[in-house]
Amino acid sequence: MMINFLKPAAHKPSLDNEAIDPTYKKLRLQVFIGIFVGYAGYYLVRKNFTLAMPYLIEMGFDKGDLGLALSANAIAYGFSKFLMGGVSDRSNARFFLPLGLILSALITFLIGTSAGISSISTMFILQFLIGWFQGMGWPPCGRVMTHWFSVKERGTKMAIWNVAHNVGGGMVGAMTAYGILWFGSWQAGIFWFPAVVAILISLLGLLLIRDTPQSCGLPPIEKYRNEYPKNYSASSEKELSAKEIFFKYVLNNKILWYIAIANAFVYLVRYGVLDWAPTYLKDVKGYDIKEVGWAYSAYEWAAIPGTLICGWLSDKIFKGRRAITTMIYMVLVALFVVIYWKNMDNRLLDSIALIAIGFLIYGPVMLIGVQALDLAPKKAAGTAAGLTGFFGYFFGTAILANIVMGYVVEHLGWDWGFFILLSACALSFLFIAFTYKEEQYLIKQEKKVVKIE
Ligand SMILES: O=P(O)(O)OC[C@H](O)CO
């Protein structure tokens, strides 16, 4: 049974005609800022544990055991993004997003206590909880996006929103450094300071986010923008049951399965390159730790322009065709993976290759989320994106990028590791290509206008 305060916000009587446009404009900006700041906040309390690992190793904990505790984060996140996506689709985004953020922050705070780091099993459980509560972040953002922005705007708007996670992730390092300096302990810097800021951000999210336009006395976005996607009708505004969401609209949607499988391979490249970059650069190419750190953060910062350009291209140049945009990006990713692999003596070229991969890979990461939102009814949007997230994190990140790649590199060498990354580029291209035809149909249908009340 749904907890009462989390239920989707009730529709309000319509505002006067002249109030609709200014209110829509104001609230669209307001809810967008709410989900941007809110999702950046989620990344402040996402993987702080990785920053604490050197201190924990000094305290005598084993690297492998700490890695195991960390893996609980990605595994729980994968399951939660899908299952909590189902709950989010039937919840008020205004309360759901801040609730997950507060819970993530509280657990993060707890990890910073001596009880939180007392044993590997405690750390495993706390990492699992963090991953689980983190899964409550993306789906309400997807709900807000599909209810406040039309299909044609989503490439650009999602691209801008999507950089929130790079901004949040990028700020953790600086906050940690200042936190240690100001508060005098690594626990306070790594865990407590970001957790307190995340709680403040969750209050801001509560203040800014609104569930649906109808809950503010506004018409649905399709009517406001006069843009009606395939199969849209008045019944598209009805909240769905969990059974309808999972079995009618998500699990039997063949195209969503293709996208989800493609996402596993895209995430294999995202984390296969990122997580192994420090080891590869240090062990194979002889980089020192400072150079590795620079290359590592350049990969993340390059994501911001790369994502924005990708969203713009998919909306303006490819007219909403996400598949072809992703396919082009994945070919270019493969090209720079080859350069990153084969170049042995030019450090500038290494940096260019890593920046290019970071610039390019986050476009497909974002567009697959957009495609999932586009292909499901908006009342099932969070679950649809959650299915792709589950494949991305459980199979792509935890199993393939971390475990399989680690084993292959250890036993067969880096050439085989790169063979896996290139195969992932090819397979993501292939599975996205399967969605190309359906997307043409979707875009043609969008031109037909279906009148609703
Ligand atoms: O990997 P996630 O689930 O945090 O999502 C990151 C981006 O927002 C994907 O669109």
Side-chain angles (χ1 to χ4, degrees):
M1 192 196 275
M2 181 82 62
I3 306 167
N4 263 349
F5 82 98
L6 282 179
K7 274 186 181 162
H11 291 191
K12 280 194 183 149
S14 178
L15 296 179
D16 293 339
N17 269 349
E18 59 276 16
I20 287 179
D21 190 49
T23 311
Y24 231 121
K25 281 194 177 119
K26 175 185 152 261
L27 285 180
R28 269 157 60 97
L29 179 64
Q30 179 182 317
V31 297
F32 186 85
I33 295 171
I35 58 170
F36 188 98
V37 176
Y39 203 57
Y42 266 80
Y43 264 76
L44 293 185
V45 284
R46 175 89 169 242
K47 282 179 105 178
N48 316 59
F49 189 68
T50 52
L51 294 165
M53 280 163 72
Y55 296 95
L56 295 168
I57 291 166
E58 268 177 27
M59 288 168 65
F61 286 104
D62 181 84
K63 259 189 219 151
D65 290 345
L66 291 172
L68 186 72
L70 183 64
S71 73
N73 190 312
I75 292 169
Y77 183 78
F79 278 102
S80 172
K81 195 171 171 182
F82 181 40
L83 297 175
M84 295 308 273
V87 181
S88 164
D89 277 333
R90 295 179 299 120
S91 299
N92 184 337
R94 185 182 183 188
F95 298 119
F96 198 83
L97 183 145
L99 178 67
L101 186 50
I102 287 181
L103 292 170
S104 300
L106 290 178
I107 301 295
T108 300
F109 200 90
L110 193 58
I111 306 174
T113 63
S114 43
I117 50 167
S118 56
S119 69
I120 288 293
S121 45
T122 310
M123 292 183 227
F124 186 94
I125 292 168
L126 293 179
Q127 282 308 303
F128 191 92
L129 288 173
I130 288 270
W132 194 268
F133 295 138
Q134 284 284 313
M136 295 172 70
W138 207 105
C141 295
R143 179 173 168 91
V144 166
M145 195 55 80
T146 49
H147 284 78
W148 288 92
F149 299 93
S150 69
V151 172
K152 277 201 184 139
E153 303 173 281
R154 270 183 225 157
T156 317
K157 294 291 188 298
M158 282 281 290
I160 300 171
W161 168 77
N162 204 67
V163 302
H165 82 286
N166 302 103
V167 171
M171 280 170 61
V172 175
M175 282 177 74
T176 296
Y178 280 111
I180 294 174
L181 200 70
W182 291 339
F183 307 113
S185 87
W186 63 268
Q187 287 97 328
I190 294 175
F191 298 113
W192 298 346
F193 183 34
V196 170
V197 175
I199 289 175
L200 295 177
I201 287 178
S202 71
L203 298 179
L204 199 60
L206 186 68
L207 206 68
L208 296 175
I209 297 170
R210 296 291 179 274
D211 192 33
T212 59
Q214 293 96 318
S215 70
C216 303
L218 296 166
I221 186 66
E222 293 78 5
K223 187 176 180 191
Y224 174 65
R225 299 269 306 173
N226 195 23
E227 287 171 24
Y228 294 88
K230 177 187 166 189
N231 296 338
Y232 184 83
S233 70
S235 67
S236 306
E237 299 303 329
K238 185 175 98 32
E239 302 295 339
L240 301 171
S241 69
K243 193 173 157 197
E244 285 173 312
I245 290 172
F246 280 98
F247 296 104
K248 190 167 169 193
Y249 293 110
V250 173
L251 293 177
N252 74 352
N253 186 335
K254 194 174 72 183
I255 303 297
L256 263 178
W257 283 99
Y258 289 145
I259 293 170
I261 297 168
N263 202 38
F265 296 117
V266 168
Y267 268 61
L268 167 49
V269 179
R270 174 183 172 186
Y271 285 111
V273 173
L274 184 69
D275 288 354
W276 291 105
T279 313
Y280 177 65
L281 293 175
K282 197 163 156 291
D283 293 357
V284 179
K285 301 195 174 182
Y287 280 53
D288 68 31
I289 196 73
K290 246 170 60 196
E291 291 171 307
V292 166
W294 186 88
Y296 193 80
S297 60
Y299 182 88
E300 284 292 309
W301 288 115
I304 295 177
T307 308
L308 294 175
I309 290 170
C310 183
W312 179 83
L313 279 175
S314 87
D315 272 356
K316 303 288 180 212
I317 305 296
F318 297 111
K319 310 283 178 213
R321 290 173 179 84
R322 321 298 183 198
I324 188 70
T325 320
T326 297
M327 287 155 72
I328 293 169
Y329 262 59
M330 288 314 294
V331 170
L332 294 172
V333 167
L335 183 74
F336 284 100
V337 168
V338 172
I339 294 172
Y340 181 53
W341 172 23
K342 291 292 174 192
N343 168 54
M344 278 304 152
D345 43 24
N346 185 337
R347 292 201 169 185
L348 179 64
L349 203 52
D350 279 336
S351 299
I352 290 172
L354 260 184
I355 287 171
I357 298 169
F359 180 93
L360 292 163
I361 194 63
Y362 283 94
V365 163
M366 176 270 298
L367 277 185
I368 284 179
V370 179
Q371 238 184 323
L373 297 183
D374 288 353
L375 290 170
K378 63 183 176 181
K379 300 295 177 187
T383 317
L387 182 72
T388 67
F390 171 68
F391 272 73
Y393 276 91
F394 184 73
F395 294 113
T397 307
I399 307 276
L400 293 171
N402 296 156
I403 300 172
V404 172
M405 246 189 95
Y407 183 83
V408 165
V409 167
E410 177 78 24
H411 295 279
L412 303 172
W414 281 102
D415 284 352
W416 283 94
F418 279 99
F419 180 70
I420 290 179
L421 292 177
L422 291 173
S423 305
C425 293
L427 287 165
S428 59
F429 181 97
L430 183 71
F431 279 95
I432 284 296
F434 290 153
T435 71
Y436 178 78
K437 208 168 140 206
E438 172 75 10
E439 211 177 45
Q440 305 307 306
Y441 173 66
L442 182 99
I443 285 157
K444 275 184 210 139
Q445 286 291 314
E446 228 185 89
K447 288 179 186 153
K448 290 188 190 168
V449 172
V450 186
K451 288 275 177 231
I452 60 149
E453 254 318 286

